[in-house]
Amino acid sequence: MKRRDYAQYCGLARALELVGERWALLIVRDLTVRPRRYTDLQEGLRGIPTNVLSTRLKELEQAGIVERQVAPAPSRGVVYTLTEVGHALEPSLIALGRWGSSLLGDPQPGYVVTPDGAVLNLRAAFQANEAAGITASWELHLADVVVHAVLTDGELTSGLGPVPGGADLVMTPRFAEDELPAYRTFVRAAKDGRVDLEGPRELFDTFLRVFTYPRRAA
């Protein structure tokens, strides 16, 4: 498969040559959250053809964005992870995710919410100016997916699974049958009073203030 070459001496053109092919940024998205085995990537990127996944990984490796590593004990085998160059894409991913979220319509039949997508959506909703000076931790249970956010004097750490040592507040929304377990539907459930809380109520209000998407401009 021939790589796209725009023949333009432009940073954006070069970026699109490296990560602009279909599925490439979603692979980077998932590896931003955690290193993954090939089969993990295939499972998380439902619908990606095997040959396309193999090709994209090879292209990303050749570009110095992704590398293979031996999984640490007790796991075995090879995992894909981002290089320093790859991790430098995260601010751009978050900015694109924030922009795209402002343009999301209603989910269509067959749409899913992936665990890694849920983490990136949470990071995209983060408002650093609202978090200044705050130290607290939260767990958000989205059906079978658990994501966490930890603020340490306003600095965010987030990822999959529970907060090590326990969260200050655990939030479990009660989704309607026709609702996807996504961050946006969690916010809707919060407005409707459909969230069970384990911890101080004031931290729930803080979370909704710190993790919110800006209103779309008219």
Side-chain angles (χ1 to χ4, degrees), residues 131-146:
I134 297 175
T135 295
S137 59
W138 298 267
E139 277 178 27
L140 176 56
H141 292 232
L142 300 170
D144 297 331
V145 175
V146 177

Side-chain angles (χ1 to χ4, degrees), residues 161-210:
V163 176
D168 296 325
L169 178 65
V170 176
M171 303 170 291
T172 306
R174 300 187 300 276
F175 293 116
E177 288 186 6
D178 60 344
E179 286 182 322
L180 275 178
Y183 186 77
R184 281 186 170 275
T185 45
F186 156 73
V187 173
R188 185 183 306 154
K191 292 178 179 178
D192 294 342
R194 293 184 285 117
V195 179
D196 296 324
L197 305 177
E198 297 177 35
R201 168 74 198 201
E202 59 267 24
L203 283 182
F204 182 56
D205 298 330
T206 300
F207 183 88
L208 293 177
R209 186 180 74 251
V210 172

